[in-house]
Amino acid sequence: MMTDQNSAVLEVSVEEKGVTPMPQTLLNDTSTLVSFPTNTNDFQLKLDFRRDIQVRVDNPQKIVEPLETYITYRVSTKADRTDYPHKEYVIRRRYNDFVWLRQNIAVEYPDRIVPPLPAKHTILGQLDRYSKEFVTCRMVLLERFLTRLVCHPILTEDKHLRVFLTANATEFTTYKKRGTGLLRRMSNSLNTISVSYNSRQVDFEFDPIRNHLHGLSEKLTMLEKVAQRIHKERKELCVESHQLGAAFIEWSSNEQSISVALSRIGHTITANSSALRHNLISNFISDWAQPLKDYVSYIECVRETLSKRDALQIQYEQSLMDLEKKKADKDRVTSDEKPLMSFWSKSEIDKEEKIEKMSQVIPKLVSAVEANQERLDVCSDVFRQEYGLWKCQKKADFKSMLTALAESHIQYYQHCAASWDLVFKRMTSE
């Protein structure tokens, strides 16, 4: 894993040194926080993951200024691409800079699935946002966010991402100020696009996807809640096991005939309690709870992208309904039937004028239907590609998560079995 879990939160000055060379130890580190699949044949994708750029987020530092206090993170980038003049970059960014990056990418690519950012202050519940636990957890999630961006075949080419990864503090501040107004206007317009889906037709392709995402989100949320309860019980078990082990050790001092056996049992219980903390408790947030929450947020990003595609579907269907209605009105007027639209029934407008006006409107409605259908087809094709990539990513990520979960349990239970087996053999041989 690229991120140093033990990076300390430091009190530092506000000064930033800009672009500096990346440490050689980082250049030799090719691991990532996100497991990217090496084989995407399952989905017949036209796109593939990029592997010519690596990012690392570490070294959190606490900045204290007269008006605010915040955390900055070191973002190190190694690139082997023509659009990056240098091979290595090391800069510092704060959380709000990551928010700016995601907002801009979402505006530039409204039909793409943009990965989520960690929640502002709720990653670890009510913990202090300057605590080591909170900052470390956020640091891991920020690196995961950037890794997903740079490995995405389309989003990796974004100009805002390139500036984010390469510009020094002064350049970056200037760049952000240039596009603030445009970003706000674009964001407001995009907010009107994402609507709840209410099509008049059954969509046999996208309805199952929508239902799958809803069900998966519910399952992961429930799984995380159950895991949190088990985690709480394990912590209580750990404390009580330590007390139990201490009780056996204290008992051994009063029972000379079985003192050795009691002492061994007490120390075994204590050692197994420590193994429980080391293998199943200490890594619970980083290896299980936090990835589950992250994927619930990721699913929501997929659903938001699908809802934008659904909005185009509704727009297309509405334009088609308008065209059908206008054609029906024209047919009724032609056959001397009472038109549906009340303003056509005014006495001063004769039949020929009505037909002429409708004949002028219908071609425009036809053009609108064709344009909406084209936009819908393009957006649907893009979502198919994005969803295929996301499914590959999800498969690889969950494989990594479940493998780590199984490995931690194996290590714990093997430790327990070995320690109790040793106690049993010594007791039976004496």
Side-chain angles (χ1 to χ4, degrees), residues 52-89:
D52 52 3
I53 185 170
Q54 294 176 333
V55 292
R56 177 177 181 174
V57 179
D58 64 0
N59 188 229
Q61 295 182 344
K62 187 176 181 180
I63 309 297
V64 179
E65 294 182 342
L67 298 179
E68 64 175 338
T69 300
Y70 56 91
I71 303 293
T72 67
Y73 303 87
R74 181 173 61 190
V75 180
S76 307
T77 304
K78 178 184 177 182
D80 186 18
R81 286 163 44 172
T82 57
D83 52 341
Y84 283 74
H86 303 286
K87 298 299 183 182
E88 299 122 29
Y89 300 87

Side-chain angles (χ1 to χ4, degrees), residues 317-332:
E317 292 179 1
Q318 184 61 51
S319 63
L320 188 61
M321 290 174 59
D322 293 342
L323 175 60
E324 293 172 350
K325 184 177 180 180
K326 189 62 65 177
K327 287 181 176 180
D329 285 348
K330 182 180 177 181
D331 291 340
R332 290 188 182 92

Side-chain angles (χ1 to χ4, degrees), residues 347-393:
S347 59
E348 66 271 14
I349 303 178
D350 59 16
K351 177 178 178 181
E352 294 298 328
E353 291 176 339
K354 296 176 186 177
I355 295 176
E356 178 63 23
K357 289 183 178 181
M358 291 182 180
S359 299
Q360 294 175 357
V361 172
I362 288 177
K364 296 180 181 180
L365 294 177
V366 171
S367 299
V369 170
E370 294 174 349
N372 288 334
Q373 184 173 17
E374 182 177 0
R375 291 176 59 198
L376 176 61
D377 291 342
V378 170
C379 187
S380 296
D381 288 340
V382 170
F383 182 81
R384 292 185 188 100
Q385 294 177 352
E386 288 290 306
Y387 188 64
L389 285 170
W390 183 78
K391 287 174 66 178
C392 284
Q393 178 68 75

Side-chain angles (χ1 to χ4, degrees), residues 144-199:
R144 180 172 297 152
F145 166 72
L146 287 181
T147 300
R148 285 167 172 165
L149 287 181
V150 300
C151 292
H152 190 283
I154 303 298
L155 303 183
T156 188
E157 304 289 346
D158 180 66
K159 60 183 178 181
H160 304 296
L161 175 61
R162 185 167 63 252
V163 171
F164 178 91
L165 295 175
T166 62
N168 61 36
T170 302
E171 294 170 341
F172 186 63
T173 301
T174 302
Y175 184 86
K176 286 199 302 181
K177 289 181 179 178
R178 286 191 309 174
T180 302
L182 176 62
L183 174 62
R184 186 179 296 113
R185 292 193 297 271
M186 291 293 293
S187 299
N188 292 337
S189 64
L190 287 174
N191 288 336
T192 63
I193 296 178
S194 182
V195 296
S196 59
Y197 189 61
N198 189 23
S199 175

Side-chain angles (χ1 to χ4, degrees), residues 221-358:
T221 301
M222 178 60 66
L223 184 60
E224 194 272 333
K225 290 181 179 179
V226 173
Q228 287 286 5
R229 291 200 296 268
I230 295 175
H231 178 61
K232 180 181 178 181
E233 293 172 357
R234 281 176 178 159
K235 290 195 293 184
E236 295 172 352
L237 174 62
C238 186
V239 173
E240 293 175 355
S241 294
H242 270 286
Q243 295 174 352
L244 179 63
F248 267 94
I249 295 173
E250 183 179 357
W251 182 17
S252 67
S253 62
N254 300 324
E255 295 287 346
Q256 296 299 323
S257 60
I258 55 174
S259 173
V260 174
L262 292 175
S263 178
R264 286 172 178 167
I265 291 176
H267 283 96
T268 298
I269 293 174
T270 302
N272 288 342
S273 175
S274 299
L276 175 64
R277 179 173 297 278
H278 175 72
N279 293 114
L280 301 183
I281 295 178
S282 62
N283 297 328
F284 172 78
I285 297 296
S286 61
D287 292 349
W288 190 244
Q290 169 254 344
L292 285 178
K293 290 183 178 180
D294 176 62
Y295 247 90
V296 172
S297 299
Y298 209 175
I299 291 171
E300 188 58 33
C301 293
V302 180
R303 295 173 69 180
E304 289 177 0
T305 306
L306 180 57
S307 71
K308 293 174 184 176
R309 180 259 163 213
D310 294 339
L312 294 179
Q313 174 78 28
I314 295 174
Q315 189 174 354
Y316 163 72
E317 292 179 1
Q318 184 61 51
S319 63
L320 188 61
M321 290 174 59
D322 293 342
L323 175 60
E324 293 172 350
K325 184 177 180 180
K326 189 62 65 177
K327 287 181 176 180
D329 285 348
K330 182 180 177 181
D331 291 340
R332 290 188 182 92
V333 172
T334 303
S335 61
D336 290 328
E337 294 182 6
K338 183 179 180 180
L340 294 178
M341 304 298 290
S342 60
F343 61 83
W344 295 134
S345 59
K346 294 181 180 180
S347 59
E348 66 271 14
I349 303 178
D350 59 16
K351 177 178 178 181
E352 294 298 328
E353 291 176 339
K354 296 176 186 177
I355 295 176
E356 178 63 23
K357 289 183 178 181
M358 291 182 180

Side-chain angles (χ1 to χ4, degrees), residues 288 397-407:
W288 190 244
D397 284 348
F398 276 106
K399 179 180 179 181
S400 177
M401 289 169 53
L402 296 174
T403 300
L405 178 68
E407 184 179 3

